[in-house]
Amino acid sequence: MALYSEKVMDHFMNPRNVGSIEDADGIGEVGNAKCGDIMKIYLKIENDILVDVKFETFGCGSAIASSSMATEMIIGKSIHEALELTNQAVCEALDGLPAHKVHCSVLAEEAIKNALKDYFDKNNIPYDAEKFKETDHDELHAAVHGE
């Protein structure tokens, strides 16, 4: 079996929604110093709908593929639907990631949540702080790599 699915390779070789949005309504950035992946997500929102989503990712193929797939999954969704996106859903949409690369999908989920939180904060929209709890990436990295 190949290490990466065809979908992962497709989103890595032909990433969708790459770039930035000049007048973004929400911006979220996350990074993991241990693996070196950094993701930045930009949201354009009209009437609570994500009409455009862009990303800039510095990282491995799995990080780029996870960013690309995650943006595809939330464009056209409401802010509340986008908030429900999970890293598991991103992994499933990519037909899986190797265990040591699952953290890339976690970063994509968190970058989107951070961008939504930025939007909520800028617009004084109340939210449940529990939905924005971040993963301890050092702990996740250690668990995956047996450290």
Side-chain angles (χ1 to χ4, degrees):
M1 182 179 112
L3 185 60
Y4 296 106
S5 72
E6 286 183 30
K7 283 188 182 178
V8 171
M9 292 306 298
D10 181 38
H11 277 269
F12 167 60
M13 300 297 289
N14 307 292
R16 285 68 151 176
N17 309 308
V18 175
S20 62
I21 299 174
E22 283 292 317
D23 56 346
D25 296 306
I27 299 172
E29 185 171 0
V30 294
N32 182 339
K34 284 252 197 282
C35 68
D37 296 324
I38 300 169
M39 292 182 187
K40 196 168 190 177
I41 300 280
Y42 301 84
L43 306 176
K44 189 67 182 165
I45 301 168
E46 294 175 9
N47 300 317
D48 288 344
I49 302 295
L50 282 73
V51 295
D52 196 10
V53 182
K54 299 278 190 233
F55 78 91
E56 296 175 317
T57 294
F58 178 82
C60 67
S62 295
I64 293 167
S66 292
S67 300
S68 175
M69 179 59 81
T71 60
E72 286 284 283
M73 293 174 75
I74 63 170
I75 289 177
K77 304 281 187 196
S78 74
I79 55 176
H80 304 291
E81 289 172 312
L83 189 56
E84 298 303 317
L85 181 74
T86 65
N87 76 294
Q88 294 92 343
V90 174
C91 280
E92 287 173 14
L94 289 169
D95 292 336
L97 286 170
H100 66 284
K101 293 296 184 178
V102 170
H103 69 275
C104 295
S105 64
V106 173
L107 289 172
E109 174 188 339
E110 289 184 352
I112 289 168
K113 285 185 175 176
N114 286 350
L116 287 165
K117 185 178 181 302
D118 181 49
Y119 172 74
F120 293 157
D121 288 342
K122 286 177 179 174
N123 292 282
N124 297 313
I125 298 170
Y127 55 83
D128 178 2
E130 284 293 310
K131 295 213 181 250
F132 296 97
K133 278 192 164 183
E134 289 197 20
T135 303
D136 182 331
H137 292 278
D138 290 338
E139 191 176 289
L140 178 63
H141 187 271
V144 168
H145 295 283
E147 297 170 357

